Amino acid sequence: MSIQNNQKLSFTQSFEEILEAVQPMITAILTQLHIYKDFDYFRHIASIAVWRAWLKADSAKGQFSAYLYSSIKGEILNELSKEKKL
C-alpha cells in the first residue's frame, strides 16, 4: 500500500506526522477487511498499532511503511478474532 502523495516515511518523523500520512492506508485496510461497523473503534486500534510500530521501528530491518502496514493489519485482525470469540 503506498502512502498518499508519494510521501516517504522515515524513522525520524514525529508520531503525529506519520499518523497523518498513514490515514489513507488505515482506511484502505479497514475497507479491505470489510469493516463497516465500529469504524472509529477500529481506526483507534490502528492508531495504537502505528504508535507501537513507531516505538519499535528499526531502520536496519527494512522499509518502515511495510512494517506499518503489517502491524496495522495484524492488530485489526487480532481484535476481530477477539470479538468473534465473544
Side-chain angles (χ1 to χ4, degrees):
M1 182 65 44
S2 65
I3 304 302
Q4 188 178 23
N5 298 330
N6 296 326
Q7 287 180 313
K8 296 285 184 177
L9 295 179
S10 72
F11 304 99
T12 59
Q13 289 177 305
S14 71
F15 171 71
E16 291 81 15
E17 292 172 335
I18 291 174
L19 185 61
E20 184 66 32
V22 298
Q23 289 303 315
M25 181 190 293
I26 292 171
T27 302
I29 291 171
L30 293 175
T31 304
Q32 179 187 22
L33 296 175
H34 304 289
I35 296 174
Y36 302 110
K37 293 181 180 179
D38 300 327
F39 201 73
D40 291 332
Y41 174 71
F42 285 103
R43 187 169 287 283
H44 181 70
I45 296 295
S47 298
I48 293 170
V50 171
W51 172 256
R52 289 179 181 160
W54 181 71
L55 290 176
K56 293 175 21 176
D58 184 8
S59 61
K61 291 188 176 182
Q63 207 173 25
F64 186 49
S65 60
Y67 180 58
L68 278 174
Y69 181 83
S70 62
S71 296
I72 293 167
K73 191 169 183 179
E75 285 293 324
I76 292 172
L77 288 172
N78 285 342
E79 191 63 31
L80 284 171
S81 67
K82 287 178 190 176
E83 285 190 3
K84 185 178 179 182
K85 290 178 184 177
L86 295 177

